[in-house]
Amino acid sequence: MRGRDGAGPMMVGRDDELRRLARLAAAHRPEVAVIAGEPGIGKTRLVAELLAGLPAGTTVLVGHAEPGSLSRPYEVLLDAIDGRPGVSEAALDELTDARRSPVERLHTGLSLLSAQVGDGPAVIVFEDLHWADSESAALFERLAEQGGPRLLLATYRPDEVSGRQPVGALLARMERRHTLTHVRLDRLTEADTAAFVSAATGQTVPYRTVAALHHRTGGNPFFLEELLRGSTGGVDELVDAPLPWSLAEALRRQTEGLAPELRRIVEAAAVLGYRVPFDLLAAVTGTGEDDLIAALRELVETGVLVESGEDEFSFRHALVRESITGAMLARQRRRLHESALEVLLAGEDADPALVAHHAHAAMRYDDMVHAARRGAALYLSIGSAYQALQLAEMGLDEMPEDVDLLSSAARAAWLAGLLDDGIRYARGWREAATTATAQADALYLLIRVAWEADEIDEMRTATRQVEELIAELPPGAEAARAMTAVAQSTGLRDDVDATIAWADRALALAEEYELPEIRLAALVEKGAALTDRPATAAEGWTILGDLVDEAEKLGEWVLAARALNFLVQDLPPTTPQDHAQMLERMRIDAERAGFERLAVAAYYSGLARLAVRQGELHRAVEALEEGRRIDRGYRRRGRRADYHGQFLAGLYLEAERLDDAAAVLDELVAQPQAIATAVPGLAFHLACRRGDRDVALARLTELYAALSHQMWRSGAQAHDLISAALACGLDLADLDRMHAELLDPNVWDEHRNLVDAQIAEVNRRHADALPGYLAATGSALMPPSVVGTAYVGAARCALALGRAEDAAAYVREASTRLADWGGWRVAQLTEVREELGLAGEERTAAGPAALTPREREVARLIADGLTNAELARRLHISPKTAAVHVGNILRKLSVPSRTAIADRLAEGS
């Protein structure tokens, strides 16, 4: 392979595509694939990554077509074999001899390639097939018909393929004749952009910078790379940095040669914005409808513009627009902005964001501030938090103490997860507020944002100010709002009694003065507090469930999403479908509010909890890894800097993926945590699973110190940590102290029964332990994996008491619940099975009885006629996971196709 590959220094966001190609290369049979994508999208980088991972002994040939290569037959082949040893000079002469027939030269080309490849595994790459000459295209087609363990791979740009080019007809023919794998590379997502910049610079990136760079480059990796290459300062400077010469030149080539009238329209479109309404462009340029349609059609065909919506056009890349406006005179740009502003103000339904943009550029600042106020409120109401923040900040640049703009900026920054900005604007809002209502609202938000940012002193100060405000206020809406703020503060600090008391005071005023929004806010705080205690949890769940409909009707999307999130995280679901529907409803409400953490981070956490409650460890890990991948690269701070880290580390420990757990834990140590005992508990668990007793005892001391700062206890954590301590062989005295420290009177009875049974068993009180384990098995609160472990414990105790038949029954119950789990819980089950002589029982099971609960659910849906894609949507899993379930079901039922599943299930019933 030659060094002229044009690949960038890194690849981000292409893992799935790389795996697909790697599977084809490893198939040991003829495979053909084409990679499609726009210039700079990463086609060559993907090929380079594929080739770098090939096993030794694989022959690699890479040939590049060049622009204008129609004049040189077999350009791609000649490039691929140039400089390689063993190339026959006589065969090269025959290949380029124009006196020979096309068929003779084609066979010569095939012979040259065969001599290089032989019978071993090979990957043959045709780069930039859209430029290929007709002879190279014909060679590609004939290679696709040959046998052998080889992957034939091509890259091309779809926008540069027409029916007049050799590749246009070639692709159509190959679709009909061959199994062709298409790999389409799309632009990087915003999360991929964050990961790209983070990998390139070695530092995490603020969300603002990521959003600006993603918009500026359109998610094109080449553009991103060139901006980074041309940077001499910090990553934040890239947002406004001048275009590097190499990138500016590449962009200029896209518009050079345009006719003067087209150039005039392109310049006007560039000034008008990234997305340009047809009517606005027509009015500003004074162009008739027919002429403008013809001009836009030509600009779309040349790839300068794309039709982004009905009667709306945008530049293919924002940097193209930037390069055009950069070459215009300032007065020329300002006149166009003034014309656009007059057109917009003359209309009735102009987008305030457009008005603000053009007013700002035209230096009409009163118009800009007015539009910024309206636009920020509008965008907040439709869930576009970041856009609302940008508009509010535009207005604040001119009027920094405007209460409406500060209010919008603070809310928008919080919803978008920009906590530092949220605190700054909330402080400004509080200081600029001239009414008690505005002060209470500002403090309510400041308390929340300060807690999330781990600014506890700020939170306490804000809470004290609210309490002082309450003392001065008469009964009414202002006092009720302020009381709800205090309820939120005490709730965040885990003071359940105080939260309920303050919420009840706010509710009494809300009922008296008919304040429905304040009533809902107070109910969320009260309901969440009640769910923290077993005795009142059912009441709390009812409150939260009942308020969702009302909150949605009033458009209180944040409150609805928060209530649903509490239910998703805590409420034992009646069915997986109910849980999944609740999760999707939470996501929709959060998206309507622009509440980024619930719409994205909490959503993936909810998917993982759904998988855990269905007993599927692999799917739970998969969901959290995807959520974490989306977050990676962003610079976040506060208690939720790594929303998924604690949960994922715990699941890695469940699966005994100890190195993965350690890697996540190393990242968590440096971050503030919402739960004081989370990191010490995970560190203790990891040390125990690694069998490092001394380290485990040191971590246990740290855990006790953290417990002294935590007002509540978790029965689930107690079970996990005592299980780890038992595996590590800690002394009985240590276990007894853990039992005393990790539980309190408010722990759920189900967890208490389980932990008590574990301690009784290790003290050889099997007759006492057995009822405790069995009591835990009836829990609707605990997931199948924990219930399965309770059955394993019951089986051990039954064996110790000489009740082998009961033990076998408990093992069968455990096997059902742990069928899709893994790690240490399954290892414990296997030990008991072997002791009972049941090690081969699972292998002999067949038919419907062999299906796991999840597989039975999938089988019933298949019998109803659902496809894999429909299964994925219904069960909230990936199509790949659905396909795995289908394969397992077909194998266990010994049926040849999906259509036979219904009959087999009927036989089993």
Side-chain angles (χ1 to χ4, degrees):
M1 178 178 177
R2 298 176 9 152
R4 190 170 59 88
D5 60 15
M10 70 199 75
M11 186 179 74
V12 168
R14 309 298 189 204
D15 293 344
D16 290 342
E17 292 87 348
L18 181 59
R19 280 193 290 269
R20 288 178 65 193
L21 293 174
R23 284 196 295 269
L24 294 177
H28 300 293
R29 60 176 179 268
E31 297 284 359
V32 184
V34 290
I35 304 173
E38 66 185 64
I41 204 66
K43 302 182 294 295
T44 298
R45 174 75 266 171
L46 178 60
V47 171
E49 291 289 332
L50 171 69
L51 301 183
L54 294 174
T58 303
T59 301
V60 174
L61 290 173
V62 180
H64 300 74
E66 298 286 357
S69 65
L70 294 176
S71 61
R72 185 186 180 194
Y74 293 105
E75 168 72 28
V76 180
L77 173 60
L78 291 170
D79 184 64
I81 62 177
D82 185 21
R84 291 184 65 91
V87 177
S88 167
E89 292 294 333
L92 282 177
D93 291 340
E94 293 177 2
L95 182 69
T96 56
D97 187 352
R99 295 169 298 177
R100 295 172 61 84
S101 72
V103 174
E104 289 175 319
R105 293 160 70 192
L106 177 61
H107 283 289
T108 299
L110 291 170
S111 298
L112 280 166
L113 278 172
S114 296
Q116 291 291 317
V117 172
D119 297 325
V123 175
I124 303 171
V125 182
F126 281 48
E127 282 267 26
D128 296 321
L129 194 60
H130 52 280
W131 285 329
D133 55 278
S134 58
E135 289 83 359
S136 293
L139 179 64
F140 186 89
E141 187 171 7
R142 288 297 298 272
L143 284 171
E145 297 170 355
Q146 297 192 337
R150 64 179 61 165
L151 169 62
L152 181 62
L153 184 61
T155 67
Y156 76 101
R157 301 176 184 176
D159 291 346
E160 298 192 27
V161 173
S162 69
R164 291 178 294 177
Q165 294 171 289
V167 69
L170 166 67
L171 291 173
R173 288 195 303 273
M174 294 196 68
E175 284 280 8
R176 296 192 297 268
R177 299 178 187 174
H178 304 282
T179 300
L180 191 63
T181 299
H182 286 273
V183 178
R184 175 76 189 214
L185 297 187
D186 295 319
R187 299 180 187 181
L188 298 181
T189 64
E190 199 172 82
D192 292 332
T193 299
F196 189 103
V197 178
S198 178
T201 61
Q203 56 184 295
T204 53
V205 190
Y207 176 75
R208 289 172 178 273
T209 303
V210 171
L213 285 177
H214 185 258
H215 173 77
R216 196 176 183 199
T217 63
N220 185 290
F222 168 71
F223 290 174
L224 260 177
E225 184 183 329
E226 289 301 304
L227 279 178
L228 290 166
R229 195 195 308 275
S231 171
T232 57
V235 66
D236 293 347
E237 296 180 11
L238 293 174
V239 174
D240 300 310
L243 297 180
W245 179 89
S246 58
L247 183 51
E249 183 63 24
L251 294 167
R252 274 195 293 271
R253 285 200 297 267
Q254 296 191 30
T255 56
E256 65 186 11
L258 291 177
E261 180 61 20
L262 289 179
R263 184 79 190 183
R264 186 176 72 87
I265 290 172
V266 163
E267 288 177 344
V271 170
L272 291 179
Y274 182 64
R275 291 183 174 84
V276 185
F278 181 94
D279 292 339
L280 181 60
L281 183 60
V284 170
T285 60
T287 308
E289 182 172 337
D290 291 341
D291 291 340
L292 186 56
I293 289 173
L296 289 171
R297 182 185 296 116
E298 186 170 345
L299 291 169
V300 168
E301 288 174 353
T302 57
V304 176
L305 299 178
V306 295
E307 192 170 9
S308 53
E310 186 174 353
D311 282 343
E312 182 183 82
F313 296 83
S314 62
F315 285 85
R316 183 171 294 277
H317 296 288
L319 288 178
V320 176
R321 171 176 165 260
E322 188 177 324
S323 70
I324 294 169
T325 57
M328 297 170 66
L329 296 175
R331 179 175 291 274
Q332 183 185 9
R333 293 194 300 268
R334 189 165 61 250
R335 285 175 59 187
L336 285 167
H337 282 299
E338 288 174 347
S339 297
L341 179 60
E342 292 301 333
V343 171
L344 292 169
L345 291 176
E348 295 180 356
D349 299 318
D351 182 349
L354 271 179
V355 175
H357 166 69
H358 292 299
H360 183 268
M363 293 187 283
R364 300 258 295 267
Y365 296 115
D366 288 344
D367 289 326
M368 182 269 289
V369 170
H370 179 67
R373 285 195 198 102
R374 289 194 305 115
L378 172 65
Y379 279 105
L380 273 175
S381 72
I382 62 174
S384 298
Y386 190 63
Q387 289 81 355
L389 177 60
Q390 290 179 306
L391 273 174
E393 289 180 329
M394 184 186 295
L396 287 169
D397 284 342
E398 184 66 19
M399 297 189 67
E401 296 182 358
D402 186 279
V403 173
D404 291 336
L405 290 172
L406 286 166
S407 166
S408 293
R411 294 180 193 278
W414 170 60
L415 290 170
L418 302 173
L419 301 184
D420 287 336
D421 294 317
I423 288 177
R424 178 161 54 90
Y425 289 127
R427 286 172 183 159
W429 180 16
R430 176 193 60 193
E431 291 164 5
T434 57
T435 67
T437 297
Q439 286 181 330
D441 286 343
L443 290 167
Y444 181 91
L445 183 63
L446 184 56
I447 287 168
R448 181 80 198 189
V449 184
W451 179 80
E452 291 186 9
D454 206 40
E455 300 285 350
I456 304 304
D457 288 341
E458 179 95 41
M459 178 187 182
R460 290 196 178 104
T461 298
T463 304
R464 186 170 61 253
Q465 290 173 342
V466 177
E467 291 173 339
E468 292 170 356
L469 187 63
I470 292 170
E472 300 172 2
L473 290 172
E478 295 169 341
R481 185 61 169 167
M483 291 171 184
T484 306
V486 180
Q488 175 185 235
S489 177
T490 54
L492 292 172
R493 288 177 283 141
D494 301 319
D495 190 340
V496 173
D497 293 331
T499 302
I500 294 171
W502 279 106
D504 281 338
R505 290 179 65 182
L507 285 168
L509 290 177
E511 294 289 349
E512 181 179 352
Y513 292 94
E514 297 182 355
L515 308 168
E517 291 85 358
I518 294 177
R519 174 179 163 273
L520 289 172
L523 283 173
V524 170
E525 305 304 337
K526 180 177 181 177
L530 289 170
T531 62
D532 279 344
R533 289 178 176 169
T536 57
E539 181 186 355
W541 290 329
T542 299
I543 289 173
L544 293 170
D546 288 345
L547 71 83
V548 172
D549 285 340
E550 186 179 352
E552 290 174 341
K553 288 176 184 176
L554 291 174
E556 293 287 340
W557 305 116
V558 171
L559 295 178
R562 285 186 60 207
L564 286 165
N565 185 48
F566 285 124
L567 293 172
V568 165
Q569 303 298 333
D570 298 328
L571 178 63
T574 52
T575 68
Q577 288 78 13
D578 289 344
H579 186 138
Q581 289 170 4
M582 190 183 300
L583 181 61
E584 288 299 323
R585 189 177 180 185
M586 180 208 76
R587 185 183 198 180
I588 290 169
D589 286 350
E591 286 174 343
R592 284 173 173 168
F595 202 166
E596 185 263 351
R597 285 180 304 290
L598 291 189
V600 181
Y603 175 75
Y604 282 98
S605 175
L607 283 179
R609 292 187 188 282
L610 175 58
V612 167
R613 285 171 176 163
Q614 293 176 301
E616 297 184 56
L617 179 57
H618 173 74
R619 189 161 65 91
V621 170
E622 197 176 67
L624 288 177
E625 288 177 336
E626 175 64 11
R628 209 158 185 259
R629 184 194 69 79
I630 291 173
D631 265 355
R632 190 168 297 282
Y634 289 109
R635 183 186 300 161
R636 302 192 188 277
R637 61 165 295 210
R639 294 168 175 266
R640 298 297 185 184
D642 188 345
Y643 196 98
H644 306 97
Q646 295 174 11
F647 195 177
L648 182 59
L651 291 183
Y652 281 152
L653 289 169
E654 282 281 330
E656 295 187 307
R657 292 170 55 176
L658 304 185
D659 289 343
D660 290 332
V664 175
L665 189 56
D666 286 343
E667 297 178 29
L668 292 175
V669 166
Q671 301 169 3
Q673 301 297 322
I675 301 174
T677 60
V679 169
L682 289 168
F684 169 76
H685 194 157
L686 176 63
C688 288
R689 294 294 169 193
R690 283 179 164 170
D692 195 331
R693 195 170 184 276
D694 291 339
V695 172
L697 289 172
R699 298 292 175 265
L700 187 58
T701 300
E702 295 171 4
L703 175 63
Y704 291 147
L707 282 167
S708 67
H709 300 290
Q710 186 169 289
M711 298 174 64
W712 51 273
R713 299 293 182 264
S714 165
Q717 183 187 51
H719 163 63
D720 287 346
L721 298 187
I722 286 176
S723 298
L726 290 169
C728 190
L730 294 195
D731 296 338
L732 289 177
D734 293 316
L735 292 168
D736 287 339
R737 184 181 175 189
M738 288 180 67
H739 181 240
E741 295 275 359
L742 291 171
L743 299 178
D744 73 1
N746 290 316
V747 164
W748 290 82
D749 289 341
E750 291 92 333
H751 287 119
R752 182 183 305 282
N753 289 333
L754 179 57
V755 173
D756 287 350
Q758 289 180 286
I759 297 299
E761 184 188 2
V762 76
N763 281 285
R764 301 186 181 279
R765 293 187 284 109
H766 299 102
D768 295 331
L770 181 56
Y773 280 129
L774 292 177
T777 63
S779 171
L781 179 72
M782 295 192 297
S785 57
V786 179
V787 172
T789 296
Y791 271 117
V792 171
R796 286 195 302 264
C797 292
L799 267 176
L801 296 170
R803 294 160 53 181
E805 189 173 328
D806 288 342
Y810 299 148
V811 162
R812 282 189 285 272
E813 294 287 350
S815 299
T816 299
R817 288 159 177 82
L818 294 171
D820 291 321
W821 205 251
W824 62 268
R825 296 185 190 275
V826 173
Q828 287 185 349
L829 171 62
T830 301
E831 289 177 7
V832 179
R833 292 178 59 82
E834 289 175 349
E835 191 171 348
L836 283 166
L838 300 175
E841 183 181 275
E842 282 186 343
R843 289 191 292 270
T844 62
L851 300 179
T852 67
R854 182 63 156 179
E855 288 168 348
R856 284 195 291 274
E857 179 185 8
V858 174
R860 285 192 292 270
L861 294 174
I862 294 171
D864 290 338
L866 270 67
T867 65
N868 282 10
E870 290 167 336
L871 286 171
R873 285 193 296 272
R874 175 76 66 85
L875 301 174
H876 304 280
I877 59 179
S878 69
K880 183 175 73 173
T881 301
V884 170
H885 281 311
V886 173
N888 290 339
I889 291 165
L890 293 173
R891 175 177 53 79
K892 290 182 179 181
L893 296 183
S894 301
V895 294
S897 66
R898 305 165 73 100
T899 55
I901 289 176
D903 293 338
R904 194 74 173 88
L905 290 177
E907 294 170 11
S909 63

